Amino acid sequence: MGRVLVTLTAAAAVVACSVATVAVRRRMKGKRKWKKVVGILRDLEEACETPLGRLRQMVDAIAVEMQAGLVSEGGSKLKMLLTFVDDLPNGSETGTYYALHLGGSYFRIIRVHLGGQRSTLEVQDVERHSIPTSLMNSTSEVLFDFLASSLQMFIEKEVFNLSQPVKRELAFTFSFPVKQTSISSGVLIKWTKGFAISEMAGEDIAECLQGALNKRGLDIRVAALVNDTVGALSFGHFHDPDTIAAVVFGTGSNACYLERTDAIIKCQNPRTTSGSMVVNMEWGNFWSSRLPRTSYDLELDAESMNSNDMGFEKMIGGMYLGDIVRRVILRMSQESDIFGPISSILSTPFVLRTNSVSAMHEDDTPELLEVARILNDLGVAEVALKVRKLVVKICDVVTRRAARLAAAGIAGILKKVGRDGSGGGRRSDKQIMRRTVVAVEGGLYLNYRMFREYMDEALRDILGEDVAQHVVIKAMEDGSSIGSALLLASSQSVQTIQSL
Ligand code: BGC
């Protein structure tokens, strides 16, 4: 009996011992896996670093590239496109105009009435729709007929008492790179932001829309073709004449600014009366070897429809931030099991949208419930709080880099136009610093507080307080659509439906 007891006790001790060993091993393994993901996070942080010195190099590089793009066609990755817009709206415009805006994710139709004073601008009607994904890969006919039919429906809903038929004037805000031939015409250079409608490069965009409107028997004239940044600048300038540049941070990203015509060397005869012209930079295509690029950016680019193109946009554009974050989480889930089994949803490109990144980043619940919910939607269920915190950190690193690079872009423009205070040691001379307004539009800036705060902070750091106090970043909503209608109004004297 005694021997049996001893044997049983010894057996129990062996079992307990091996259970403990397994537990310790598991804990060790768990620790190793945690270490692994922390290592991945560290590498990401390092690769995304944007210290002030590096940002200042970016500022210089952007200003240099802007100059090169103005000197000769193809002289830089920055296309620096002429817009034929020299006079910006000032508030005296009158009439009723329409604008149709094809953006990256949405299209909008608006009708604006202008009464000849700033205060009498009236946006009478706005319609916003998301762009069906099928349209992005359709044909030119399908796209333009869709736009024409949407416009037709918009107009059919109008309840005006018109004594005689009127000709409607439309500004087409087209958020893609176009080589303008006049303020109302221009050919598509290439698609961006996931659009891939074949055989359209080289086509006149205004003509395509006009053709589709005519086919439907609509008496509407496409009288202006305007990049969204240029629309935003017009709107900004209408409200505040100190506005000299506009930037869009939306699905894609781009900037335009007012340049002296004598600096636009590639254009021999710019034919402007004001001595300046708005230049559409197409900064999404900016590239410098100093950009902090990670392996995730490389993968994203290689798998994109437009690889080796729009490198800057792929680091700062709303279309891409979510996918960079997704790629980091996926890498972590492949190299450790802290996210549970690898989710097939998480492996789907672009499944994580930037608005979800902002919702996770700004989740202020102690348990990070929003992060848990979004991860759950991605097929990653029930992860520990420390893992959710890790995800917030990834969002922070990716968004902070984007925002700081965006700030360097703005500072680059200010440098090019001599408003960065760097002119000949006069930095602290308040007398010579003029108030400078930069209009900013786009969901990324408007709806993502952390992006906004990081960008504003970086801009202040780059410029220094003395200069930054003279620079105003003015956020606007729908400015690019309204601004295009304003531009149309200021650029023509044609009889329109002024008395609706
Ligand atoms: C386009 C620009 C546009 C920007 C913002 C970019 O992808 O190339 O023309 O202004 O997106 O919408």
Side-chain angles (χ1 to χ4, degrees), residues 161-178:
N161 232 346
L162 296 173
S163 48
Q164 56 188 47
V166 289
K167 185 158 188 84
R168 291 175 168 85
E169 301 283 313
L170 175 84
F172 187 15
T173 318
F174 186 71
S175 304
F176 299 90
V178 163

Side-chain angles (χ1 to χ4, degrees), residues 8-19:
L8 278 179
T9 314
V14 169
V15 169
C17 215
S18 50
V19 167

Side-chain angles (χ1 to χ4, degrees), residues 415-465:
K415 185 173 178 94
K416 172 70 184 69
V417 295
R419 305 275 187 115
D420 70 331
S422 64
R426 294 171 299 183
R427 200 177 172 94
S428 60
D429 187 348
K430 289 193 182 113
Q431 295 286 296
I432 58 140
M433 276 306 302
R434 286 166 60 192
R435 181 174 176 271
T436 301
V437 181
V438 178
V440 175
E441 171 152 335
L444 184 61
Y445 188 83
L446 296 177
N447 307 327
Y448 195 162
R449 179 177 51 82
M450 293 301 289
F451 177 89
R452 213 165 44 234
E453 286 180 8
Y454 278 141
M455 196 196 92
D456 293 348
E457 177 193 62
L459 191 59
R460 266 198 312 277
D461 288 351
I462 297 170
L463 296 175
E465 274 310 323

Side-chain angles (χ1 to χ4, degrees), residues 50 54-66 78 80 244-249 253-257 281 283-284 286 291 312 316 401-417 420 438 440 451 455 458-459 462-463 473:
T50 48
R54 184 176 234 178
L55 290 182
R56 293 220 166 100
Q57 288 174 336
M58 309 294 325
V59 173
D60 293 344
I62 287 168
V64 166
E65 288 296 315
M66 287 172 79
L78 292 181
M80 307 300 283
I244 56 131
V247 189
V248 170
F249 297 114
S253 186
N254 187 17
C256 74
Y257 74 108
M281 291 173 62
W283 85 4
F286 169 70
L291 277 168
F312 193 48
I316 65 171
R401 177 187 69 164
R404 290 174 68 80
L405 293 177
I410 294 178
I413 301 176
L414 297 178
K415 185 173 178 94
K416 172 70 184 69
V417 295
D420 70 331
V438 178
V440 175
F451 177 89
M455 196 196 92
L459 191 59
I462 297 170
L463 296 175
I473 301 291

Side-chain angles (χ1 to χ4, degrees), residues 234-249:
S234 304
F235 188 61
H237 195 269
F238 177 85
H239 285 295
D240 189 334
D242 287 340
T243 312
I244 56 131
V247 189
V248 170
F249 297 114

